[in-house]
Amino acid sequence: MPFDAPDKSKNPDYRDRFQISKQCATKKITEIMTRELVGIDESTSIEDTLELIGKYRFHNFPVVDKDYRLKGVIDQNIVLELLFHDRLPSSSHTHLNAVRSLGEDAKSIMIPHPLTVSNDTSLCETVDMMLKHNINHVWVMDNKDKLIGVVTKHDIINEAYRTRRKE
C-alpha cells in the first residue's frame, strides 16, 4: 500500500524549517565542541596506545607532543589494520601499511596533519569544511596552537536539532 503523504518538499516554508544556516554563522565552534579528550603522547608505545584505545570508546585519538600540540590522529582503521595486518586484502598492502606494521610508537602509526579549526571558527565554517572534505570530525586549536577540543558530525547534528527546537 503506497504512502499518501502530501509532498511538502515543494513548499519553501517546509524546507526552511530544516535550515539553520543563519544561526550557525554566529555560533562559535567552541560552544559545541567536546573538551574532554584522551590524547596519546607521540612517544607512547604501540602496546600502551592499544591499551588506551581499548579503555576509551572513542573513534579517533589525537596524538600530541609534550605541549599538547596536535601531531596526528590514530583512528579505528589504523588499529584494525595493525591488529589484523595478515587479513588485509592484497590491494591494501601498501608501503604505508608495511611501515605502520613495524612501528614502535604512536608517532609511527598516526595519520599526520589532521584537519583543524581555530577556536574562533564559526559553526558554519566548520560544517563547510566537513562537507567539502567528507570528514567526520575536526580538531579545535587555541590561539597558541594547542589542542582544546574536537567537534564531530554528531555534535553538529545535535546542535542543529537544539537550535531548531528553540524556534
Side-chain angles (χ1 to χ4, degrees), residues 54-68:
K55 183 177 178 181
Y56 297 96
R57 297 183 55 96
F58 299 125
H59 295 248
N60 302 283
F61 290 81
V63 178
V64 295
D65 65 12
K66 61 180 174 39
D67 296 318
Y68 224 69

Side-chain angles (χ1 to χ4, degrees), residues 19-160:
Q19 300 298 316
I20 67 156
S21 290
K22 294 174 187 140
Q23 297 89 335
C24 82
T26 58
K27 187 169 286 285
K28 296 295 180 201
I29 204 64
T30 51
E31 296 176 54
I32 69 162
M33 73 180 187
T34 300
R35 294 175 187 275
E36 298 82 30
L37 301 173
V38 177
I40 298 174
D41 185 275
E42 60 188 340
S43 64
T44 302
S45 72
I46 299 280
E47 193 62 40
D48 289 345
T49 297
L50 293 175
E51 187 176 326
L52 272 172
I53 290 170
K55 183 177 178 181
Y56 297 96
R57 297 183 55 96
F58 299 125
H59 295 248
N60 302 283
F61 290 81
V63 178
V64 295
D65 65 12
K66 61 180 174 39
D67 296 318
Y68 224 69
R69 288 189 302 251
L70 184 63
K71 296 299 183 178
V73 175
I74 297 175
D75 66 13
Q76 291 176 331
N77 290 330
I78 290 173
V79 175
L80 277 177
E81 289 169 3
L82 279 174
L83 295 173
F84 297 98
H85 185 72
D86 60 326
R87 302 195 62 82
L88 285 173
S90 59
S91 61
S92 296
H93 286 250
T94 64
H95 177 71
L96 180 59
N97 279 336
V99 169
R100 280 189 181 138
S101 71
L102 299 172
E104 296 184 9
D105 57 19
K107 185 176 183 176
S108 64
I109 64 169
M110 71 182 188
I111 300 167
H113 316 294
L115 287 176
T116 63
V117 295
S118 65
N119 57 349
D120 62 348
T121 303
S122 75
L123 177 57
C124 279
E125 291 171 304
T126 304
V127 168
D128 291 346
M129 179 191 290
M130 292 174 86
L131 292 173
K132 178 181 178 183
H133 296 288
N134 193 27
I135 55 175
N136 295 319
H137 65 279
V138 176
W139 303 98
V140 182
M141 312 301 284
D142 71 9
N143 54 5
K144 294 181 182 170
D145 222 20
K146 290 188 180 182
L147 178 64
I148 59 170
V150 65
V151 175
T152 66
K153 283 183 180 176
H154 186 75
D155 296 329
I156 292 172
I157 291 167
N158 282 342
E159 181 60 27

